[in-house]
Amino acid sequence: MATWKHPLVDVELNTIDIHRAALNRKEATLVHILKHEGWNTTDVAQLLGTNPARVCDVIDAKEHIGSATDAMSIIAMAPLRRRRQG
């Protein structure tokens, strides 16, 4: 991720390249996959360019009901890999 410094206070900031006002079904499925891999909610939101409340709505099945099942099917078919640490 690219960074830049704010010119008035010289604080390093992340560049925001993607903004999503809503998540589609495929993105919601990815939310569950990333959580399964060990990413926290805030980081998942940042990766997807959305806010943590939107990610929580997916995790809590308030939005995109069935996306967790889709994610588990994908995970079951994927080769085993190490979960993200941290």
Side-chain angles (χ1 to χ4, degrees):
M1 181 181 302
T3 62
W4 59 285
K5 287 194 176 185
H6 194 281
L8 298 179
V9 290
D10 199 37
V11 172
E12 191 170 20
L13 301 167
N14 293 315
T15 300
I16 301 171
D17 296 321
I18 299 171
H19 297 271
R20 288 185 174 95
L23 298 177
N24 64 33
R25 177 68 174 247
K26 191 172 186 178
E27 294 158 350
T29 300
L30 182 56
V31 165
H32 294 288
I33 292 170
L34 292 171
K35 289 295 288 179
H36 179 78
E37 291 176 346
W39 292 84
N40 69 45
T41 302
T42 301
D43 290 342
V44 170
Q46 290 174 345
L47 289 169
L48 287 167
T50 192
N51 67 60
R54 197 160 285 118
V55 170
C56 288
D57 285 347
V58 170
I59 293 166
D60 296 338
K62 294 178 182 174
E63 296 287 335
H64 298 291
I65 297 167
S67 60
T69 302
D70 295 347
M72 291 304 111
S73 296
I74 292 167
I75 290 165
M77 300 302 287
L80 293 176
R81 63 180 181 258
R82 197 171 167 179
R83 285 187 181 180
R84 179 182 182 272
Q85 300 296 315

